[in-house]
Amino acid sequence: MNNIVSRKDQNNIAIISVNNPPVNALSQAVRIGIKDNVAAADADNNIKAIILCCEGRTFMAGADITEFGKPPLDPWLPEVVESIDKTSKPLIAAIHGTAFGGGLEVALGCNYRVAIASALVGTPEVKLGLLPGAGGTQRLPRVAELKTALDMVVSGNPVKAEKALKAGIIDRIVDGDLLEGAIAFANELIAEGASLPRISDNNVDTSAMPDDFFATYRKGIARRSRGYFAPEKCIQAVEAAINLPFNEGLKRERELFMECMASPHSKALQHAFFAERAASNIKGFDKSIAPRDIKSVGIIGAGTMGGGIAMNFLNAGIPVTILEMNQDAIDRGLGIIRKNYEATAKKGRMTMEQVEGAMGLLSPTTNYDDLANADLIIEAVFENMDVKKQVFTKLDAVAKKGAILATNTSYLDINAIADMTNRPQDVLGLHFFSPANIMRLLEIVNADKTAPDALLTVVKLAKKIKKVGVVAGVCHGFIGNRMLEGYGREAGLLMLEGASPQQIDAAIFNWGMPMGPLAMGDMAGIDIGYMLRQQFPADRFDEHAYRVPNRMVEAGRKGQKTGKGYYLYEAGNRTPQPDPEVEAIIIEEAAKAGITRRENISDEEIVARCIYPLINEGAYILEEGFAARPSDIDVVWMNGYGFPPYHGGPMFYADHIGLENVLKTLEDFTAKFGERWWKPAPLIKKLVAEGKNFSSLNR
Ligand code: NAD
């Protein structure tokens, strides 16, 4: 017996409680403690019912992540769940907080489940590329309404106690004290001499299941789960619960679980999970530094970004003052914010009261003096150095002492912006992604003179506004956009070399990106990159790669917004249609560039040409110190650019391919296309020489 799981008897009820802070993860000690305590209580003649509950803030919230990737420790969770399934006395799980993953599987091994109203139950394993492997896929459909069970296993999303009650997953919602309620429930069972229901004895209720239920279900999730390995395995496991006797179903679940475990996807998704946690850990940071207080925020510019940025703070209950150049711009900006909120309310994800509450926290102004009390001011005006400098000069004059001054610039030199003020220690970058109220990524740019406490403040604030913050250094495009350049460049060159926009986009889409680079260009607006390039010396860029996009913009083909870009768009329809005019432009430009077009560009070449620059540039960024660890780069690309999480981000993907193979391809491309863009980063060479990979640099 151990003191992580303890037993206390009240009359003839044994109360077994788990105390393994912070989330009562199912570590080896917890598994042993539950198994032994339940067995002992079951064997005790004085005991008539057993309650399994947890101390602290939650019921068991899942596996112990520190055991991930290590040899399994006895007893396995499936063994524990099967052992408690066999008790001869009623065993009741008393749930508060989150009964997730293994926690819910333990509860499903009990005869009854009671919960407080705020509790959540769920099986999030699929988000790590796995399935609930301790009987969850077999018991959940045997106790819950089939569609709810399937949704829970396949989506990984939790359900609230009330829905769980309706679906049959829990037996009672307890008002007031959970333990008292559970004891009362146990006493009722004892008094009734109730029989012992075991979920494992049930059959799945398929009486209302249409013949095409699973086929329709598969179709329904096809888009969301495209490319992912585990969702299909989850479905197969639930099918087994219908088609096989319980014990056979458990075996099938185990086989499917092992398939998931062995898939590269689960490793990548676990990497994604740990990478996100690591990102908020600022490397080499003095733990005694205290963050500043952020109680109010100022935003300059209520355009595409400013409005979205404001919504993040309003959603977190932080008042925002938003400044624009004139009343018209304010009216337009506020109108868009309100429209966004109202659309959310229409979808039922917000009440109108909440909409008014959020809008009530927003104060528009055209006067800089109104920003004097803001603790953080974020500039989101046009991407133009002169405009930014003017804004920061004004901010320096009005902002209170200690206020953090942030810029949302995508490319500009934040050190130069900071030097426009007399307080460069308070200046940093907060690079939000569009749409800023939705995209999770926030690049936090640590300028040369940024004070550590200012940096720490925004790293903590990122969490508060539900963003994944990643710290970057000041370089052209920071982490994400700096890497994006090679991706776009190669797409531009591949068109000239003979690949059509459709072929390039299909290859990249099929590889796993949400859309190809050219369809993305059409969506974002081809003119944005065009205008950006005007701001920098031409020799920064490849002399041919932008011929086609330049021609597009000069011909008024700016993308979806003009109804044509690399593709044609019918009014009101965002489906790209190939356009022979574009092909003619490409052929013309290839001839002007003296490029001989090839027939034989393979999808494999397209993927390598577009993805390997990410890896190589990522390596340069690392060795130049603009990212703290490879996993930070992965977090940026997975959360800001749609890099498929099941590939784990560019750096993880490079390790998966094998760095020596990456190096070889980079060397081949150097030989074919020249050194300028393809020279392998010295860091890659060094790691290969040492027999290491990028993950060896993750801490
Ligand atoms: P936008 O043109 O939609 O909005 C800019 C707003 O700033 C306009 O409403 C304009 O009236 C206002 N403005 C301009 N000068 C001003 C001044 N001196 N004082 C007050 N208001 C002023 O531009 P955007 O797309 O929102 O971009 C803003 C910034 O965000 C740029 O630095 C851009 O690089 C960056 N950014 C944009 C995106 C994106 O996808 N749009 C993504 C990340 C970062």
Side-chain angles (χ1 to χ4, degrees):
M1 301 277 165
N2 54 49
N3 53 14
I4 289 186
V5 182
S6 58
R7 172 176 153 192
K8 191 176 68 189
D9 294 347
Q10 186 161 327
N11 302 322
N12 50 9
I13 299 172
I15 301 160
I16 296 171
S17 62
V18 177
N19 185 16
N20 185 28
V23 295
N24 290 313
L26 278 150
S27 64
Q28 184 186 30
V30 173
R31 298 195 298 273
I32 294 174
I34 292 175
K35 190 173 172 224
D36 292 354
N37 276 287
V38 171
D42 196 34
D44 187 334
N45 288 334
N46 296 322
I47 295 301
K48 294 216 158 40
I50 309 164
I51 293 172
L52 177 59
C53 60
C54 289
E55 288 169 37
R57 67 174 197 237
T58 178
F59 194 76
M60 289 162 270
D64 180 352
I65 51 176
T66 61
E67 286 182 16
F68 277 26
K70 296 187 185 152
L73 299 170
D74 276 343
W76 276 32
L77 187 62
E79 189 188 324
V80 175
V81 177
E82 293 325 304
S83 82
I84 64 173
D85 190 36
K86 305 283 181 291
T87 51
S88 60
K89 300 160 184 174
L91 171 60
I92 304 148
I95 300 170
H96 73 297
T98 49
F100 282 175
L104 179 58
E105 291 180 295
V106 168
L108 293 171
C110 298
N111 304 102
Y112 298 95
R113 285 147 298 283
V114 299
I116 55 170
S118 60
L120 291 170
V121 299
T123 50
E125 284 83 349
V126 70
K127 297 187 176 177
L128 295 181
L130 299 172
L131 52 79
T137 66
Q138 303 306 297
R139 285 193 176 80
L140 206 49
R142 279 181 164 81
V143 69
E145 186 265 323
L146 178 59
K147 172 75 168 41
T148 307
L150 188 59
D151 276 343
M152 284 174 71
V153 174
V154 176
S155 74
N157 294 334
V159 301
K160 291 189 180 144
E162 201 181 326
K163 182 165 180 198
L165 178 71
K166 273 200 199 122
I169 301 166
I170 58 175
D171 301 284
R172 179 177 291 182
I173 291 183
V174 169
D175 294 325
D177 185 75
L178 175 63
L179 189 56
E180 277 174 25
I183 292 171
F185 186 77
N187 279 323
E188 287 170 35
L189 294 174
I190 295 168
E192 287 167 15
S195 64
L196 275 189
R198 287 199 178 93
I199 296 177
S200 52
D201 292 338
N202 297 352
N203 286 323
V204 179
D205 178 5
T206 54
S207 55
M209 187 181 94
D211 288 346
D212 61 352
F213 176 75
F214 282 100
T216 310
Y217 193 84
R218 283 187 166 93
K219 249 190 231 152
I221 64 153
R223 236 183 100 128
R224 242 183 308 137
S225 61
R226 182 179 71 93
Y228 283 85
F229 183 79
E232 170 57 26
K233 301 293 151 186
C234 290
I235 297 177
Q236 289 175 15
V238 173
E239 283 176 322
I242 296 173
N243 299 328
L244 298 175
F246 183 75
N247 282 328
E248 295 297 308
L250 279 188
K251 278 190 207 142
R252 184 73 189 124
E253 176 190 87
R254 180 105 312 248
E255 285 165 10
L256 292 165
F257 179 82
M258 297 314 281
E259 279 182 38
C260 288
M261 206 51 174
S263 79
H265 284 203
S266 76
K267 292 181 188 71
L269 290 165
Q270 286 168 41
H271 165 74
F273 175 81
F274 286 111
E276 226 175 79
R277 287 161 60 107
S280 59
N281 193 352
I282 313 174
K283 241 183 182 175
F285 217 65
D286 176 352
K287 291 240 162 28
S288 67
I289 293 170
R292 303 181 193 176
D293 237 8
I294 303 293
K295 292 210 178 73
S296 63
V297 170
I299 292 174
I300 321 238
T304 309
M305 295 307 289
I309 294 169
M311 291 173 76
N312 290 295
F313 294 98
L314 302 175
N315 296 345
I318 301 172
V320 173
T321 303
I322 194 158
L323 181 141
E324 257 294 351
M325 293 196 284
N326 54 50
Q327 194 59 40
D328 275 357
I330 286 191
D331 292 344
R332 199 177 51 235
L334 260 62
I336 293 171
I337 297 177
R338 174 170 281 283
K339 226 174 82 190
N340 274 334
Y341 275 133
E342 287 176 354
T344 310
K346 263 204 193 116
K347 289 183 197 141
R349 289 200 235 116
M350 229 179 157
T351 63
M352 275 317 285
E353 258 170 24
Q354 286 169 321
V355 173
E356 294 311 329
M359 291 305 291
L361 290 172
L362 183 61
S363 319
T365 184
T366 52
N367 183 350
Y368 272 80
D369 292 338
D370 292 337
L371 300 175
N373 285 321
D375 298 310
L376 163 69
I377 303 175
I378 304 170
E379 162 280 308
V381 302
F382 304 133
E383 183 77 345
N384 175 297
M385 196 54 155
D386 293 335
V387 183
K388 303 262 187 210
K389 284 183 173 173
Q390 279 168 24
V391 167
F392 274 81
T393 308
K394 282 188 197 153
L395 285 181
D396 196 21
V398 299
K400 72 178 179 192
K401 189 168 173 281
I404 294 173
L405 309 182
T407 169
N408 184 48
T409 181
S410 306
Y411 288 92
L412 299 173
D413 179 354
I414 301 180
N415 291 326
I417 294 176
D419 284 338
M420 291 314 296
T421 70
N422 293 304
R423 41 173 123 183
Q425 73 280 3
D426 297 330
V427 178
L428 45 75
L430 285 180
H431 185 213
F432 287 83
F433 287 68
S434 179
N437 53 322
I438 292 173
M439 294 293 286
R440 290 183 73 220
L441 180 64
L442 177 59
E443 268 185 326
I444 295 169
V445 190
N446 187 18
D448 290 356
K449 295 178 188 159
T450 306
D453 67 328
L455 182 67
L456 180 69
T457 306
V458 292
V459 168
K460 294 216 173 297
L461 187 66
K463 269 199 183 153
K464 191 163 179 189
I465 60 170
K466 301 202 168 89
K467 297 283 171 199
V468 195
V470 175
V471 178
V474 179
C475 56
H476 181 81
F478 318 121
I479 297 174
N481 282 345
R482 175 169 161 181
M483 290 164 69
L484 185 65
E485 210 163 283
Y487 181 75
R489 177 191 69 233
E490 291 306 311
L493 289 171
L494 281 160
M495 282 190 285
L496 298 176
E497 288 169 37
S500 67
Q502 303 81 277
Q503 191 198 350
I504 295 170
D505 282 348
I508 296 295
F509 175 81
N510 291 333
W511 178 81
M513 295 296 279
M515 61 173 73
L518 304 163
M520 189 178 84
D522 274 359
M523 194 182 75
I526 311 176
D527 54 322
I528 296 198
Y530 180 87
M531 286 187 298
L532 188 80
R533 287 191 295 279
Q534 315 299 314
Q535 295 201 31
F536 296 94
D539 62 4
R540 232 209 96 85
F541 303 102
D542 185 90
E543 64 170 314
H544 300 312
Y546 303 96
R547 284 176 172 274
V548 177
N550 289 352
R551 278 286 299 274
M552 295 289 130
V553 175
E554 283 151 16
R557 307 184 67 113
K558 295 183 188 169
Q560 287 185 14
K561 61 187 167 193
T562 55
K564 49 187 184 175
Y566 296 112
Y567 300 94
L568 273 182
Y569 300 87
E570 285 165 16
N573 187 344
R574 292 185 178 184
T575 318
Q577 310 288 347
D579 184 350
E581 239 177 67
V582 173
E583 202 190 331
I585 293 177
I586 296 173
I587 292 172
E588 246 177 74
E589 288 303 319
K592 279 194 222 158
I595 293 175
T596 317
R597 286 166 62 78
R598 298 183 270 142
E599 291 281 320
N600 60 347
I601 300 179
S602 66
D603 289 355
E604 201 187 353
E605 176 179 344
I606 292 172
V607 170
R609 292 272 299 275
C610 292
I611 301 297
Y612 280 53
L614 302 178
I615 300 170
N616 204 25
E617 198 63 38
Y620 280 113
I621 289 173
L622 274 173
E623 67 191 19
E624 290 164 17
F626 296 120
R629 44 179 96 77
S631 63
D632 282 2
I633 297 178
D634 290 336
V635 173
V636 165
W637 266 76
M638 285 186 283
N639 291 286
Y641 299 83
F643 199 97
Y646 58 77
H647 286 322
M651 312 319 271
F652 182 87
Y653 184 64
D655 283 356
H656 170 69
I657 300 167
L659 268 196
E660 63 288 355
N661 297 326
V662 170
L663 178 58
K664 196 178 162 306
T665 305
L666 291 173
E667 284 170 346
D668 285 353
F669 286 168
T670 303
K672 261 193 219 149
F673 306 112
E675 271 225 330
R676 181 164 184 207
W677 305 120
W678 288 108
K679 189 175 170 200
L683 177 64
I684 295 181
K685 286 189 161 170
K686 178 170 172 277
L687 288 171
V688 170
E690 291 171 354
K692 292 185 180 159
N693 55 17
F694 284 126
S695 75
S696 68
L697 306 175
N698 281 332
R699 255 162 299 134

